[in-house]
Amino acid sequence: MTNDDLARPEGASQRAGAFDGLLPTRSIGLKLILVCGLALLMAIPALFVYGVVRERTEGAERALRDVSVRVGGEQVVLGPVLAVPYVLQADEESPRLQTYGLAIAYAETGTARADVTVEDRRRGIYPVPVFDAEIDFEAVFDPAALRGAVPAEATALWRDARLYMGVSDSRGVKEAYAVVANGVDVAMEPAAYLGPRQQGVYAPPQSDMSLAGGVVPGLETAAGPIEVAATMRLTGARRLALGPFAKDTSFSMVSDWEDPSFVGGVLPDTHNAGDKEVAGFSAAWRVPYLARGVPGAGAQLNLSDVTEAGRRDMAVRFVYTANPYKSVERALKYAAMFVGFVFLAYFLFETVSGARAHPAQYVLVGLAQTIFYLLLLAFAERVGFDLAFFIAAAMTVLLTSGYAVSVFRARKYGLRSLGVLSGIYGLVYVLMRAEDHALIAGAVASFAAIAVTMYMTRNVDWYGERRLSRSAEA
């Protein structure tokens, strides 16, 4: 009788013996099933980390909104447009009843040039890119197009004709618009209602913009083209867009921002974004008349047709593409897989070394992998993603490799763990950075891990039958 038999209660000894043939206590197969189950359970703490990531993401969005309130937010710009109100008599029986409308004429050709500087504003720990843009416009109008847009039965109110410009958020306007038409300065004022006319009122053009208007004299009788030059300066956050304000519109932008994202309904024809030899970027767009798809002149036109986001606008987003929250969130989707990789490595070390790792030790290793994401998020908010990843990965790999020395009682397994875990975290980094290739990288890595495990355990006695038969012979 052994000391273990003396220490075990008599009933327990009998119960254990009854199941010895059915449930081998040293079965490698059962241990692998247990390890896989523990890897799945590690998804639970990963969900808590995901909640923290979402909370920090919402904090960054709140910071953006708070800063946007002060600088103007996302800006959409509308270049010079001509408009003249007109009046219609209802009928002979009601001569006093009048209705009003507005005739619109876009420029025949238009050019805009934007010089944009970007700086970080901070709200707490969150950086918010804020742009300061100076935009110069040149537009050539055909006054005959404006006169032709007035209905034949209507009377144009030329005294109230206006040249309009606009931005989506006037809080970002930093200077008065400087506008010159055929060499004459045009004083621009905020466009409210133009004023009451007898029994009705007429309003500025239909638009979702904050418009400013000014009087251009001589529109009724002008025989030649009207050349307009204008300049505006405004600030905003995240996105700057220009609507095609002319029948044929050209737009160019230069900026000191290193990593722009071209969005909107029209992509640039040329740009040098991503060129490491130049600071910032430059880009150029052109929207011809047919591509614009909006009439050049007409009655009751809606200016929002050319400024609607995502349809015809030319836009740039000034955001950090290396967003730590999105990167960590992407990696968390593969958290169970990576914990499984680490567990498989420990399982193989256990199989080769002959040492036994307790399930509690697997749980501790899994928790260390989960805390890695918290470390990464916390450091990334302070020192940037790349350095944060190196710090968090180094801490986790060294801890887990050192623990392998204790678990398997040999330094060589600590070194092997160091190599394997370094490769695993290198793969994590690839998945965080290569958004477009994350799925194929994760799929290939999973296949490789299973293939290695199958190869290294090809001669394993999964049922433990040989061990049981040796015990029975003894």
Side-chain angles (χ1 to χ4, degrees), residues 32 93 302 466:
L32 178 59
E93 295 180 359
N302 192 332
R466 279 170 280 182

Side-chain angles (χ1 to χ4, degrees), residues 24-98:
T25 58
R26 290 289 188 175
S27 170
I28 297 296
L30 288 177
K31 187 61 171 286
L32 178 59
I33 294 173
L34 177 61
V35 168
C36 292
L38 290 176
L40 292 176
L41 287 176
M42 287 298 102
I44 296 176
L47 290 176
F48 288 102
V49 177
Y50 181 81
V52 175
V53 174
R54 297 305 304 165
E55 179 184 356
R56 305 301 282 186
T57 302
E58 292 171 1
E61 290 295 330
R62 285 194 299 270
L64 175 62
R65 290 193 296 268
D66 291 344
V67 172
S68 297
V69 167
R70 293 161 175 77
V71 301
E74 298 186 359
Q75 292 284 18
V76 183
V77 179
L78 176 68
V81 176
L82 289 179
V84 59
Y86 58 82
V87 61
L88 284 167
Q89 298 290 342
D91 51 48
E92 295 181 356
E93 295 180 359
S94 305
R96 296 176 58 85
L97 183 61
Q98 297 174 323

Side-chain angles (χ1 to χ4, degrees), residues 347-426:
F347 175 77
L348 292 177
F349 295 156
E350 184 177 344
T351 302
V352 173
S353 67
R356 308 297 291 176
H358 194 276
Q361 293 173 312
Y362 279 95
V363 171
L364 291 175
V365 171
L367 290 176
Q369 313 310 309
T370 304
I371 293 174
F372 158 77
Y373 298 103
L374 281 178
L375 291 171
L376 175 61
L377 182 62
F379 284 119
E381 292 181 331
R382 303 287 182 174
V383 299
F385 179 82
D386 291 329
L387 181 57
F389 185 91
F390 176 79
I391 294 173
M395 293 173 63
T396 307
V397 169
L398 290 175
L399 173 64
T400 311
S401 300
Y403 193 54
V405 177
S406 174
V407 172
F408 303 111
R409 299 178 179 86
R411 290 185 178 180
K412 64 179 181 180
Y413 292 108
L415 295 176
R416 292 178 182 177
S417 178
L418 180 64
V420 171
L421 293 178
S422 297
I424 291 175
Y425 279 89

Side-chain angles (χ1 to χ4, degrees), residues 8 32 54 65 81 92 108 115 129 218 242 251 293 321 343 351 354 414 454 465:
R8 185 184 304 160
L32 178 59
R54 297 305 304 165
R65 290 193 296 268
V81 176
E92 295 181 356
E108 298 297 308
D115 189 347
L242 175 77
F251 177 42
T321 55
F343 281 9
T351 302
M454 293 172 68
E465 292 177 345

Side-chain angles (χ1 to χ4, degrees), residues 217-228:
L219 289 177
E220 182 180 8
T221 59
I226 297 175
E227 298 181 357
V228 175

